[in-house]
Amino acid sequence: MTQAATPEHERWPGASLRATAVSRSFEGIRALDGVTLELHRREVVGLIGPNGAGKTTLVNVMTGFDRPTAGSVELEGREITSWTPHRRGRAGLARTFQHSHSFGSLSVRENVEVAALGVGARPREARRRATELLDLLGIERKADARATTLAHGDERKLEVARALAIEPRFVLMDEPAAGLPEGEIPDFVRVLRTVRDEQGAGVLLIDHNMALVMQVCDRIHVLDQGRTLAEGSPDAVRGNLDVTAAYLGESAANGSTASAPS
Ligand SMILES: Nc1ncnc2c1ncn2[C@@H]1O[C@H](COP(=O)(O)OP(=O)(O)OP(=O)(O)O)[C@@H](O)[C@H]1O
Ligand SMILES: [Mg+2]
């Protein structure tokens, strides 16, 4: 096989973010039960499953906002299970939240700059990144607006811009496209591909919009009741009868939204 045909992650086997045999219980509820998921640079992996499957809990554990009951998290070969979110951010690991974490009293531009400054960027560099990212997300005209005044779709875009402001090597996105009008999905696909192909990041994408997930993901990981139900290419996952029964239902064939975002 020529080098050009070799996937990036096979040339750089250490360049991954990995959760190994992760479990997390909440007062008897097994939110995660022995889940292993590896995300390489330069790929988009979809994380799907019904409401309550454990998707957000897995992102929380991988980004340091929660600790696993059992299992470990490694970033490029280093065990980071006990690292704080901030330390992980400085090492190149970013996330978006299902519910916005922007600073409401700051402008849209300032929100992005603060995220860059938080990982050590100089003011001039933070400003450059904010300009570039607001443009990439298509919210440059909102740069001076207070974050609280944004419509829901623009709020989701700001959440993504803030995560990208740290120039992440890995970025975990928790329903970043929830509530985006259907007509804006192609623009969002373009953003994800830019992050993967031009910035070289690994992207974990949680979304209930199956058309989006099937279109943009290189691989898909399916959770159900805290366990891995299936993983593989979009075609393999679509053809998996267990997945169809547990989650995709009729929508698998239609490519439509499978269950309500929450
Ligand atoms: N802090 C918590 N305390 C108690 N239970 C929790 C907590 N966080 C999550 N859970 C429970 O863990 C399970 C998994 O929740 P999680 O939020 O990870 O699901 P999800 O796949 O992200 O769902 P959704 O698609 O609705 O966002 C659910 O049963 C949820 O009620
Ligand atoms: Mg969730």
Side-chain angles (χ1 to χ4, degrees), residues 13-22 35-40 61-63 68 70-83 88 91 93 170 172:
S16 75
L17 170 68
R18 183 181 163 90
T20 305
V22 163
V35 173
T36 294
L37 184 152
E38 187 163 22
L39 175 65
H40 301 99
V61 166
M62 292 177 87
T63 52
S72 62
V73 182
E74 291 93 38
L75 176 62
E76 298 181 327
R78 283 176 295 180
E79 171 154 5
I80 62 166
T81 317
S82 62
W83 287 21
R88 293 182 208 210
L93 176 52
F170 300 93
L172 282 47

Side-chain angles (χ1 to χ4, degrees), residues 53-203:
K55 304 180 297 294
T56 296
T57 303
L58 183 58
V59 166
N60 287 342
V61 166
M62 292 177 87
T63 52
F65 288 83
D66 195 8
R67 293 282 155 81
T69 317
S72 62
V73 182
E74 291 93 38
L75 176 62
E76 298 181 327
R78 283 176 295 180
E79 171 154 5
I80 62 166
T81 317
S82 62
W83 287 21
T84 62
H86 185 249
R87 188 173 174 199
R88 293 182 208 210
R90 291 187 84 105
L93 176 52
R95 73 169 296 176
T96 73
F97 289 89
Q98 196 165 350
H99 302 288
S100 175
H101 272 52
S102 297
F103 297 105
S105 61
L106 299 183
S107 71
V108 168
R109 165 182 286 284
E110 287 165 342
N111 262 286
V112 182
E113 290 179 2
V114 162
L117 294 169
V119 292
R122 305 220 166 217
R124 182 190 292 259
E125 168 64 10
R127 199 164 175 81
R128 184 195 68 75
R129 289 186 197 175
T131 301
E132 193 178 296
L133 288 169
L134 296 182
D135 190 48
L136 176 68
L137 272 302
I139 49 173
E140 66 279 9
R141 275 170 300 160
K142 304 282 169 60
D144 297 322
R146 299 268 148 234
T148 40
T149 66
L150 292 182
H152 179 75
D154 287 344
E155 196 178 69
R156 305 306 305 154
K157 293 176 195 168
L158 173 56
E159 189 72 16
V160 173
R162 280 169 44 78
L164 297 180
I166 78 161
E167 298 197 325
R169 298 163 70 75
F170 300 93
V171 55
L172 282 47
M173 300 189 184
D174 198 350
E175 302 197 23
L180 279 192
E182 205 50 44
E184 293 191 20
I185 295 294
D187 280 342
F188 188 64
V189 168
R190 188 175 51 82
V191 169
L192 291 173
R193 291 191 171 140
T194 299
V195 174
R196 179 190 65 185
D197 300 336
E198 292 176 25
Q199 299 173 9
V203 181

